[in-house]
Amino acid sequence: GESVGLHLPTLSVQEGDNSIINCAYSNSASDYFIWYKQESGKGPQFIIDIRSNMDKRQGQRVTVLLNKTVKHLSLQIAATQPGDSAVYFCAETGGATNKLIFGTGTLLAVQP
Amino acid sequence: GAGVSQSPSNKVTEKGKDVELRCDPISGHTALYWYRQSLGQGLEFLIYFQGNSAPDKSGLPSDRFSAERTGGSVSTLTIQRTQQEDSAVYLCASSLGGFSGQYFGPGTRLTVT
Protein backbone atom coordinates (compact mmCIF):
# COMPACT_ATOMS: atom_id res chain seq x y z
CA GLY A 1 0.00 0.00 0.00
CA GLU A 2 0.94 3.66 -0.05
CA SER A 3 3.24 5.14 2.52
CA VAL A 4 4.70 8.57 2.94
CA GLY A 5 8.24 7.24 2.82
CA LEU A 6 10.15 4.13 3.69
CA HIS A 7 11.97 4.19 7.02
CA LEU A 8 14.77 1.72 6.60
CA PRO A 9 15.96 -0.31 9.57
CA THR A 10 19.61 0.51 10.17
CA LEU A 11 22.40 -1.73 11.38
CA SER A 12 25.51 0.09 12.55
CA VAL A 13 28.68 -1.98 13.02
CA GLN A 14 32.37 -1.37 13.60
CA GLU A 15 34.83 -2.18 10.83
CA GLY A 16 36.11 -5.70 11.28
CA ASP A 17 33.04 -6.94 13.16
CA ASN A 18 30.64 -9.49 11.73
CA SER A 19 27.23 -8.26 10.52
CA ILE A 20 23.95 -10.13 10.52
CA ILE A 21 21.07 -8.77 8.47
CA ASN A 22 17.68 -10.39 8.91
CA CYS A 23 14.68 -10.69 6.65
CA ALA A 24 11.22 -12.18 7.06
CA TYR A 25 9.73 -13.36 3.80
CA SER A 26 6.07 -13.55 3.03
CA ASN A 27 5.24 -16.60 0.94
CA SER A 28 5.75 -20.11 2.25
CA ALA A 29 5.64 -21.35 -1.37
CA SER A 30 8.70 -19.29 -2.37
CA ASP A 31 11.49 -21.60 -3.44
CA TYR A 32 14.38 -19.34 -4.32
CA PHE A 33 15.87 -16.42 -2.43
CA ILE A 34 18.44 -13.80 -3.30
CA TRP A 35 20.30 -11.14 -1.31
CA TYR A 36 21.13 -7.89 -3.07
CA LYS A 37 23.37 -4.97 -2.11
CA GLN A 38 22.43 -1.52 -3.34
CA GLU A 39 24.73 1.47 -3.13
CA SER A 40 23.43 4.97 -3.59
CA GLY A 41 22.62 5.75 -7.21
CA LYS A 42 23.24 2.20 -8.42
CA GLY A 43 21.15 -0.81 -9.27
CA PRO A 44 20.90 -3.78 -6.90
CA GLN A 45 23.98 -6.00 -7.00
CA PHE A 46 23.59 -9.78 -6.68
CA ILE A 47 25.39 -11.10 -3.58
CA ILE A 48 24.29 -14.66 -2.94
CA ASP A 49 21.31 -16.92 -3.52
CA ILE A 50 19.84 -20.01 -1.92
CA ARG A 51 17.22 -22.52 -2.94
CA SER A 52 14.55 -23.73 -0.57
CA ASN A 53 16.04 -27.24 -0.43
CA MET A 54 19.06 -25.80 1.40
CA ASP A 55 19.37 -24.12 4.79
CA LYS A 56 22.83 -22.61 4.43
CA ARG A 57 25.06 -21.41 1.66
CA GLN A 58 28.45 -19.74 1.86
CA GLY A 59 30.21 -17.35 -0.44
CA GLN A 60 33.23 -15.16 -0.06
CA ARG A 61 32.83 -13.46 3.33
CA VAL A 62 29.06 -13.96 3.15
CA THR A 63 26.73 -16.69 4.39
CA VAL A 64 23.00 -16.96 3.86
CA LEU A 65 20.84 -18.94 6.28
CA LEU A 66 17.29 -20.02 5.49
CA ASN A 67 14.75 -21.11 8.08
CA LYS A 68 11.63 -22.20 6.25
CA THR A 69 9.76 -23.04 9.43
CA VAL A 70 9.56 -19.40 10.45
CA LYS A 71 10.05 -17.93 6.95
CA HIS A 72 13.29 -16.20 7.87
CA LEU A 73 16.45 -15.40 5.96
CA SER A 74 19.66 -13.95 7.24
CA LEU A 75 22.80 -12.62 5.61
CA GLN A 76 26.02 -12.81 7.56
CA ILE A 77 28.97 -10.70 6.48
CA ALA A 78 32.31 -11.56 8.02
CA ALA A 79 34.91 -8.92 8.86
CA THR A 80 32.71 -6.06 7.68
CA GLN A 81 34.50 -3.36 5.71
CA PRO A 82 33.57 0.27 4.94
CA GLY A 83 32.86 -0.79 1.34
CA ASP A 84 30.07 -3.00 2.65
CA SER A 85 28.06 0.08 3.62
CA ALA A 86 24.88 -0.03 1.53
CA VAL A 87 21.22 -1.02 1.64
CA TYR A 88 20.70 -4.77 1.64
CA PHE A 89 17.53 -6.36 0.26
CA CYS A 90 16.30 -9.89 0.48
CA ALA A 91 14.10 -11.07 -2.38
CA GLU A 92 11.95 -14.15 -2.73
CA THR A 93 10.58 -15.80 -5.80
CA GLY A 94 8.62 -18.80 -6.92
CA GLY A 95 6.30 -19.88 -9.64
CA ALA A 96 6.68 -19.90 -13.37
CA THR A 97 7.86 -16.33 -13.85
CA ASN A 98 10.33 -16.06 -10.96
CA LYS A 99 9.44 -12.42 -10.45
CA LEU A 100 11.15 -11.09 -7.35
CA ILE A 101 9.31 -9.86 -4.30
CA PHE A 102 11.57 -7.58 -2.32
CA GLY A 103 11.74 -6.86 1.36
CA THR A 104 11.97 -3.25 2.54
CA GLY A 105 15.74 -3.30 2.94
CA THR A 106 18.24 -2.72 5.74
CA LEU A 107 20.82 0.05 5.75
CA LEU A 108 24.22 -1.23 6.87
CA ALA A 109 26.48 1.53 8.18
CA VAL A 110 30.08 0.52 8.83
CA GLN A 111 32.00 2.74 11.21
CA PRO A 112 35.76 2.93 10.59
CA GLY B 1 31.75 -9.33 -19.41
CA ALA B 2 29.14 -6.68 -20.11
CA GLY B 3 26.34 -6.37 -17.64
CA VAL B 4 22.82 -5.06 -18.08
CA SER B 5 22.76 -1.56 -19.49
CA GLN B 6 19.97 0.98 -19.42
CA SER B 7 19.41 4.30 -21.11
CA PRO B 8 18.98 7.09 -20.46
CA SER B 9 20.43 7.19 -16.97
CA ASN B 10 18.29 10.21 -16.14
CA LYS B 11 15.17 11.57 -17.77
CA VAL B 12 13.25 14.69 -16.85
CA THR B 13 9.95 15.14 -18.61
CA GLU B 14 6.89 17.30 -18.35
CA LYS B 15 3.62 15.89 -17.14
CA GLY B 16 1.60 14.55 -20.06
CA LYS B 17 4.58 13.67 -22.27
CA ASP B 18 5.47 10.13 -23.35
CA VAL B 19 8.81 8.54 -22.43
CA GLU B 20 10.72 5.48 -23.60
CA LEU B 21 13.21 3.67 -21.42
CA ARG B 22 15.62 1.14 -22.88
CA CYS B 23 17.21 -2.00 -21.48
CA ASP B 24 20.02 -4.10 -22.98
CA PRO B 25 20.20 -7.40 -21.09
CA ILE B 26 23.20 -9.64 -20.62
CA SER B 27 23.85 -11.54 -23.84
CA GLY B 28 22.18 -14.94 -23.80
CA HIS B 29 19.78 -14.14 -20.98
CA THR B 30 16.32 -15.21 -22.09
CA ALA B 31 14.42 -13.76 -19.14
CA LEU B 32 14.05 -10.01 -18.71
CA TYR B 33 12.28 -8.12 -15.95
CA TRP B 34 11.30 -4.51 -15.31
CA TYR B 35 10.99 -3.21 -11.76
CA ARG B 36 10.30 0.20 -10.31
CA GLN B 37 11.87 1.67 -7.19
CA SER B 38 10.27 4.65 -5.53
CA LEU B 39 10.66 6.20 -2.10
CA GLY B 40 7.20 5.33 -0.98
CA GLN B 41 6.89 1.86 -2.46
CA GLY B 42 10.25 0.15 -2.40
CA LEU B 43 11.12 -2.20 -5.27
CA GLU B 44 8.13 -3.52 -7.20
CA PHE B 45 7.77 -5.84 -10.16
CA LEU B 46 6.30 -4.46 -13.38
CA ILE B 47 6.61 -7.01 -16.22
CA TYR B 48 8.42 -10.21 -17.19
CA PHE B 49 9.60 -11.32 -20.63
CA GLN B 50 10.60 -14.79 -21.70
CA GLY B 51 12.10 -14.30 -25.12
CA ASN B 52 9.89 -11.77 -26.86
CA SER B 53 6.73 -12.78 -25.03
CA ALA B 54 5.41 -11.17 -21.85
CA PRO B 55 3.56 -13.88 -19.92
CA ASP B 56 3.34 -11.72 -16.79
CA LYS B 57 2.32 -8.07 -17.03
CA SER B 58 0.60 -8.08 -13.67
CA GLY B 59 2.74 -5.33 -12.17
CA LEU B 60 2.06 -2.64 -14.76
CA PRO B 61 0.27 0.13 -12.82
CA SER B 62 -2.06 1.28 -15.59
CA ASP B 63 -2.70 1.05 -19.30
CA ARG B 64 -0.38 4.03 -19.77
CA PHE B 65 2.49 1.58 -19.26
CA SER B 66 3.57 -0.84 -21.97
CA ALA B 67 6.71 -2.74 -22.87
CA GLU B 68 8.09 -4.75 -25.70
CA ARG B 69 11.11 -6.88 -26.38
CA THR B 70 12.57 -7.58 -29.79
CA GLY B 71 15.02 -10.20 -31.02
CA GLY B 72 15.02 -11.77 -27.59
CA SER B 73 17.28 -8.96 -26.50
CA VAL B 74 16.57 -5.24 -26.14
CA SER B 75 13.46 -4.15 -24.29
CA THR B 76 11.69 -0.81 -24.21
CA LEU B 77 9.34 0.36 -21.47
CA THR B 78 7.00 3.11 -22.62
CA ILE B 79 5.02 5.38 -20.34
CA GLN B 80 2.37 7.47 -22.04
CA ARG B 81 0.94 10.72 -20.70
CA THR B 82 3.32 10.70 -17.75
CA GLN B 83 2.08 11.72 -14.32
CA GLN B 84 4.04 12.96 -11.32
CA GLU B 85 3.45 9.68 -9.51
CA ASP B 86 5.42 7.94 -12.28
CA SER B 87 8.59 9.56 -10.93
CA ALA B 88 10.85 6.72 -9.80
CA VAL B 89 13.90 4.71 -10.74
CA TYR B 90 13.07 2.11 -13.38
CA LEU B 91 15.27 -0.97 -13.15
CA CYS B 92 15.78 -3.76 -15.62
CA ALA B 93 17.12 -7.20 -14.75
CA SER B 94 17.96 -10.24 -16.82
CA SER B 95 18.61 -13.88 -16.06
CA LEU B 96 19.06 -17.30 -17.63
CA GLY B 97 15.72 -18.25 -16.09
CA GLY B 98 14.82 -20.82 -13.47
CA PHE B 99 16.95 -20.85 -10.35
CA SER B 100 19.51 -18.41 -11.68
CA GLY B 101 20.11 -14.95 -10.34
CA GLN B 102 18.59 -11.82 -11.77
CA TYR B 103 21.22 -9.21 -12.58
CA PHE B 104 20.22 -5.58 -12.55
CA GLY B 105 21.17 -2.60 -14.64
CA PRO B 106 21.96 0.80 -13.15
CA GLY B 107 18.42 2.05 -13.67
CA THR B 108 16.81 5.09 -15.28
CA ARG B 109 15.81 7.87 -12.92
CA LEU B 110 12.59 9.38 -14.24
CA THR B 111 11.41 12.73 -12.95
CA VAL B 112 8.05 14.07 -14.08
CA THR B 113 7.64 17.79 -13.49
Side-chain angles (χ1 to χ4, degrees), chain A residues 61-92:
Chain A
R61 275 203 311 120
V62 294
T63 300
V64 55
L65 298 178
L66 173 63
N67 184 330
K68 294 182 288 295
T69 302
V70 295
K71 294 191 292 185
H72 184 267
L73 272 172
S74 67
L75 177 70
Q76 301 178 1
I77 305 173
T80 314
Q81 302 167 0
D84 295 327
S85 294
V87 176
Y88 289 80
F89 292 95
C90 67
E92 61 185 293

Side-chain angles (χ1 to χ4, degrees), chain A residues 1-3 5-6 31-32 34 36 38 41-44 46 49 51 89 96-100 102, chain B residues 33 35 37-43 45 48 56 58 91 97-106:
Chain A
E2 293 285 335
S3 62
L6 282 178
D31 55 9
Y32 181 54
I34 307 175
Y36 286 93
Q38 189 173 29
K42 298 184 179 180
F46 179 97
D49 59 357
R51 290 183 60 176
F89 292 95
T97 69
N98 287 320
K99 62 187 177 187
L100 294 172
F102 284 86
Chain B
Y33 302 79
Y35 295 86
Q37 186 171 30
S38 54
L39 279 176
Q41 300 294 334
L43 272 152
F45 165 81
Y48 157 68
D56 190 346
S58 62
L91 292 157
F99 296 110
S100 61
Q102 293 182 29
Y103 295 87
F104 282 81

Side-chain angles (χ1 to χ4, degrees), chain A residues 93-100, chain B residues 29-35 45-60 67-69 75 77 93-98 102:
Chain A
T93 185
T97 69
N98 287 320
K99 62 187 177 187
L100 294 172
Chain B
H29 280 193
T30 56
L32 186 148
Y33 302 79
W34 284 96
Y35 295 86
F45 165 81
L46 296 177
I47 187 169
Y48 157 68
F49 286 93
Q50 179 59 42
N52 293 334
S53 300
D56 190 346
K57 306 179 184 179
S58 62
L60 294 178
E68 65 175 13
R69 189 179 184 195
S75 177
L77 177 69
S94 70
S95 86
L96 291 169
Q102 293 182 29

